[in-house]
Amino acid sequence: MSPARILRWCRHLAHPRLSVWPSSRQAHWTANQQEGVGALPGHVREFVESSARLCAPQDIHVCTGSEHEAQSMLGLMEAQSQVVRLPRHQNCWLACTDPRDVARVESRTVIVTDSQRDTVPTPSDGTASKLGNWMSPQVFEREMGLRFPGCMKGRTMYVVPFSMGPVSSPLARFGVQLTDSPYVVASMRIMTRMGHDSLEALGTGIEFVKCLHSVGSPLPLPDGLSPSTWPCNPEKTLIAHLPDQREILSFGSGYGGNSLLGKKCFALRIASRMAKDEGWLAEHMLILAITNPAGRKRYVAAAFPSACGKTNLAMMKPLLPGWKVGCVGDDIAWMRFDSEGRLRAINPENGFFGVAPGTSWKTNPNAMETISRNTIFTNVGRTSDGGVYWEGIDTPIPPGVTLTSWTGSPWTPGDAEPCAHPNSRFCTPASQCPIMDPEWESPQGVPIDAIIFGGRRPEGVPLVYEAFNWPHGIFIGSAMRSESTAAAEHKGRVILHDPFAMRPFLGYNLGHYLQHWLNMETEGSGRHLPRIFHVNWFRKDREGSYLWPGFGDNCRVLDWICRRLDGEADALETPVGYVPAPGSLDLSGLQGVQAEALFSLPKAFWEHEAAQIREYLTVQLGPDLPPAILWEAENLQRRVAEM
Ligand code: OXD
Ligand code: MN
């Protein structure tokens, strides 16, 4: 939000107290805080001062990112019962949220642009777009005016300077988040490069994304209500993005993707627009390094919808002898072609904000080791001896140890409600992961040889297939579908379309986004385009059992992909793409895997699938559907019909 706009609101709203810097408040600040704000680079200071005029905090604290600061903040939260210490693990903490504030709220996440078509395509059937929520600047100003003025009264406004990406990387971008949530500050310190170094870089006058966040619960509360340990304002939650101005305003939620604005809001929604304008890609993808027994290392990026195992794959412990996986990132990739035509990727994040349930020493030992210290857990269960607990943690509860659920109730295995919320999380430093790739912070990024799309598909979709070429690969990304998960507010298990795993994170019209991807083939000369694959670890048999063991055995699929890149693995051409020729996927030592069932292409399923994909794309994208993608959709239908 530009200062001019804030002042305009102030005038509109006839809040005379807010239209000038409140002198009494200024007198209230300590010399140190005034110095902190006064010492900020001019463009940052302007943002802080205008936001302070609007939000009227009691105090302003400029974060340095130091260990001492982090400890005092956690100590303060502990004193206010906002977190509890988990004494079984060094410097680990648990926050439990208001049960109304537990996930991203897609229905209240909006993109504000002058023209609706810049944000979402116009569906051809006259219904509302399913590809994002547009808000007009006029409605935005009205809605924000009903929320932000005075929203931080009685609270401290924290100034969080941060970098997405290693501070020295030419691919990094900067942000400043203002927030009244110490939980957000502590989490941003883990998830981004926050504090001194970023502030120093901002001192060069470099541009930054303006991020304003409030839990929306000014103090004192009306009618003598006592402050909650998880202040929020679910009725008024609104997360707004202004891609043209590179601004984010988030109100009413303290949770994850709604409040840690560097992540989904900046690194995906705003960055996808920056990337379109500047010729690069900001994607919901993990990045990993895979090294074969001969020592040949390759990097791949993979897009799966939320809670479909990106963290598990990014930290995989390969079960094939001699293979090694290194982690670069588990959620977001920023990628750009370099001067030699190689696609280079950085992970803009500095930590993992992973889904806890299902994480165990068996499914993801590297994650378990990563989260054993310096971690903030949210909405997991707690053991009476100061440890954590969740569904699928797969560690025995010692005799005499009791459990408390995320809602604070005593809990015993077999209770109807889960012990941890299905979207409960760990927030942990990436540097603690034992398999971080040595290049994970490389300023120029790592070279990407393959892009993998995937989803949670219980039926019909083979374990792995390869795209015929670049446009076909882009079509496969646009056609992604997956069973819904707990990462957002959806109820029940339905198969959702989730193009490029970006449906909740698109910063602009999906039709323009697909064209941007298609252009990657033609825009630069001599580009080495990565090959594109699709995987599905989640296919089930008639009885509902998974056909593929997954986890460390997924290395077998990466092995096939790498051998395809080296021209050493045979494939069969099918209507959906190239699948492994019999014997070319290494299944040695695996008991009871039914390769035929894993790769079968039931005609009726694919007829239905191809029809649904075509209908979704043509209806949802309307006139913005790139002709090359329509051509691919029609061709898939034709090939399937001829099967
Ligand atoms: C996440 C998500 O938190 O995708 O990464 O929802
Ligand atoms: Mn994600």
Side-chain angles (χ1 to χ4, degrees):
M1 176 186 36
S2 65
R5 176 169 282 149
I6 295 172
L7 288 172
R8 228 174 330 126
W9 289 355
C10 295
R11 263 183 257 117
H12 277 324
L13 296 163
H15 268 283
R17 276 183 306 115
L18 299 174
S19 63
V20 290
W21 190 253
S23 55
S24 59
R25 186 144 343 275
Q26 204 168 10
H28 199 74
W29 296 346
T30 64
N32 205 358
Q33 284 145 6
Q34 282 192 49
E35 245 171 53
V37 177
L40 289 171
H43 60 330
V44 179
R45 183 172 157 187
E46 228 172 80
F47 173 51
V48 173
E49 290 183 350
S50 56
S51 303
R53 282 198 291 277
L54 179 70
C55 303
Q58 174 177 312
D59 254 325
I60 299 183
H61 176 101
V62 178
C63 297
T64 63
S66 72
E67 188 56 45
H68 173 75
E69 180 183 74
Q71 287 310 313
S72 356
M73 203 154 295
L74 285 159
L76 175 83
M77 284 194 278
E78 187 180 25
Q80 295 173 350
S81 306
Q82 288 174 4
V83 291
V84 293
R85 204 181 279 271
L86 295 164
R88 268 197 59 190
H89 307 286
Q90 188 200 327
N91 192 29
C92 284
W93 304 81
L94 169 62
C96 287
T97 72
D98 184 311
R100 297 167 302 167
D101 191 18
V102 292
R104 285 185 288 101
V105 206
E106 290 179 11
S107 56
R108 288 161 179 257
T109 299
V110 302
I111 309 280
V112 182
T113 46
D114 287 336
S115 148
Q116 178 165 4
R117 193 163 171 189
D118 284 348
T119 295
V120 282
T122 311
S124 60
D125 63 357
T127 58
S129 173
K130 295 186 172 130
L131 293 165
N133 301 310
W134 173 73
M135 188 178 263
S136 72
Q138 295 72 22
V139 174
F140 162 77
E141 291 210 7
R142 190 182 69 224
E143 293 299 324
M144 292 296 138
L146 294 171
R147 289 169 173 77
F148 277 94
C151 66
M152 294 188 186
K153 273 188 194 160
R155 297 192 185 277
T156 297
M157 173 194 273
Y158 297 96
V159 179
V160 181
F162 65 96
S163 166
M164 297 312 291
V167 176
S168 65
S169 169
L171 296 173
R173 291 288 185 277
F174 292 87
V176 175
Q177 178 162 351
L178 309 180
T179 177
D180 54 6
S181 162
Y183 165 88
V184 165
V185 177
S187 308
M188 286 289 285
R189 180 169 183 268
I190 295 172
M191 294 305 297
T192 72
R193 278 91 177 169
M194 182 266 253
H196 178 267
D197 291 356
S198 297
L199 198 52
E200 209 168 70
L202 285 161
T204 62
I206 201 160
E207 282 303 303
F208 66 92
V209 174
K210 296 187 177 99
C211 309
L212 179 59
H213 168 252
S214 172
V215 293
S217 181
L219 297 171
L221 297 173
D223 306 327
L225 290 175
S226 42
S228 154
T229 54
W230 186 267
C232 59
N233 193 339
E235 287 80 36
K236 284 194 170 174
T237 293
L238 190 63
I239 299 114
H241 305 71
L242 285 74
D244 292 321
Q245 292 82 356
R246 318 290 202 223
E247 293 170 9
I248 303 160
L249 292 96
S250 166
F251 185 92
S253 166
Y255 201 80
N258 301 327
S259 70
L260 312 181
L261 301 187
K263 193 173 176 65
K264 304 298 185 181
C265 299
F266 177 166
L268 288 176
R269 297 192 192 97
I270 296 289
S272 63
R273 246 302 293 279
M274 292 172 155
K276 173 174 174 281
D277 295 349
E278 299 168 12
W280 50 283
L281 300 162
E283 301 300 327
H284 191 200
M285 292 182 181
L286 66 88
I287 309 165
L288 65 79
I290 174 111
T291 309
N292 73 10
R296 169 83 155 109
K297 182 176 182 173
R298 291 187 179 273
Y299 291 93
V300 304
F304 305 160
S306 305
C308 280
K310 285 209 298 296
T311 306
N312 288 344
L313 183 63
M315 295 184 193
M316 190 217 301
K317 202 165 182 169
L319 288 178
L320 274 184
W323 285 80
K324 210 175 124 198
V325 164
C327 177
V328 176
D330 79 327
D331 197 39
I332 300 178
W334 285 0
M335 305 189 284
R336 186 192 274 270
F337 283 95
D338 67 14
S339 55
E340 279 147 34
R342 300 211 71 179
L343 187 61
R344 295 254 164 200
I346 63 163
N347 167 16
E349 302 193 277
N350 194 40
F352 305 116
F353 186 67
V355 175
T359 309
S360 72
W361 288 102
K362 212 156 76 199
T363 59
N364 193 339
N366 291 316
M368 292 301 277
E369 203 169 321
T370 311
I371 63 182
S372 63
R373 55 195 199 283
N374 305 320
T375 298
I376 301 174
F377 295 90
T378 305
N379 288 347
V380 302
R382 176 160 51 115
T383 62
S384 56
D385 62 347
V388 287
Y389 191 82
W390 50 74
E391 280 56 40
I393 193 167
D394 210 15
T395 19
I397 307 159
V401 168
T402 57
L403 294 165
T404 305
S405 76
W406 73 280
T407 56
S409 315
W411 191 90
T412 41
D415 278 4
E417 294 300 320
C419 185
H421 187 278
N423 190 35
S424 54
R425 300 284 177 142
F426 50 77
C427 178
T428 193
S431 58
Q432 290 182 186
C433 174
I435 60 153
M436 285 320 275
D437 183 72
E439 295 298 309
W440 86 275
E441 295 194 278
S442 151
Q444 73 273 20
V446 297
I448 299 295
D449 287 327
I451 291 175
I452 305 173
F453 296 118
R456 202 177 268 275
R457 297 303 306 267
E459 251 190 276
V461 178
L463 176 65
V464 57
Y465 59 97
E466 184 185 349
F468 298 128
N469 51 41
W470 187 255
H472 181 233
I474 308 308
F475 166 69
I476 290 172
S478 76
M480 275 171 66
R481 304 177 73 197
S482 192
E483 221 173 42
S484 58
T485 67
E489 74 264 41
H490 307 293
K491 298 271 178 298
R493 298 207 146 200
V494 280
I495 304 283
L496 298 173
H497 289 270
D498 193 352
F500 278 69
M502 283 289 277
R503 185 195 46 77
F505 309 119
L506 287 162
Y508 64 100
N509 182 318
L510 177 66
H512 305 165
Y513 169 95
L514 295 177
Q515 190 58 53
H516 181 56
W517 267 90
L518 289 166
N519 292 348
M520 292 292 141
E521 188 178 27
T522 47
E523 254 166 13
S525 57
R527 283 185 170 175
H528 308 281
L529 293 171
R531 301 256 287 271
I532 299 179
F533 298 81
H534 187 281
V535 299
N536 173 29
W537 320 134
F538 301 97
R539 193 162 181 180
K540 290 178 175 170
D541 63 16
R542 282 213 186 87
E543 284 70 50
S545 303
Y546 288 113
L547 285 166
W548 179 245
F551 304 108
D553 281 310
N554 292 337
C555 166
R556 297 168 188 273
V557 173
L558 295 181
D559 160 46
W560 185 77
I561 289 174
C562 289
R563 284 187 289 114
R564 284 294 291 166
L565 299 177
D566 292 334
E568 287 168 7
D570 291 336
L572 296 179
E573 189 173 334
T574 75
V576 304
Y578 298 115
V579 300
S584 81
L585 182 72
D586 183 351
L587 298 176
S588 54
L590 268 189
Q591 301 300 313
V593 165
Q594 308 160 44
E596 245 171 66
L598 269 172
F599 287 103
S600 71
L601 295 170
K603 181 165 175 156
F605 171 90
W606 274 97
E607 275 173 344
H608 183 67
E609 179 78 2
Q612 292 231 316
I613 291 167
R614 180 172 167 187
E615 183 186 328
Y616 179 79
L617 292 173
T618 49
V619 170
Q620 284 302 313
L621 276 75
D624 293 324
L625 178 63
I629 301 295
L630 176 60
W631 189 87
E632 292 291 347
E634 288 169 348
N635 268 290
L636 174 64
Q637 264 192 311
R638 185 188 45 74
R639 290 192 303 265
V640 168
E642 288 165 5
M643 252 160 100

